[in-house]
Amino acid sequence: MWRIGFLAWRAWVYVKFGVPAVALLALIYHAQGPSLLFGITALLVTGGLFGVRFVLRDLAAKEDLDRDRTPR
């Protein structure tokens, strides 16, 4: 049960940070087109999303949720 809850929470965190990031990029692209501002913002947003991914993967590894649970 804990595994299902953690996976649902992790998906929620991806949505919580991903949707506003994509909306920000769409807004800047719509207003300015492929400009320097859009490029810099895209790099920062990409770095932030990779940071979120890194933290969630590290937390999952600490909780032993990414490994197979077959008995040895």
Side-chain angles (χ1 to χ4, degrees), residues 33-47:
S35 64
L36 181 63
L37 176 64
F38 176 76
I40 292 170
T41 306
L43 286 174
L44 291 173
V45 165
T46 302

Side-chain angles (χ1 to χ4, degrees), residues 13-33:
V13 171
Y14 280 130
V15 169
K16 185 170 93 172
F17 287 104
V19 170
V22 170
L24 175 67
L25 289 176
L27 181 66
I28 292 174
Y29 187 80
H30 178 69
Q32 304 242 337

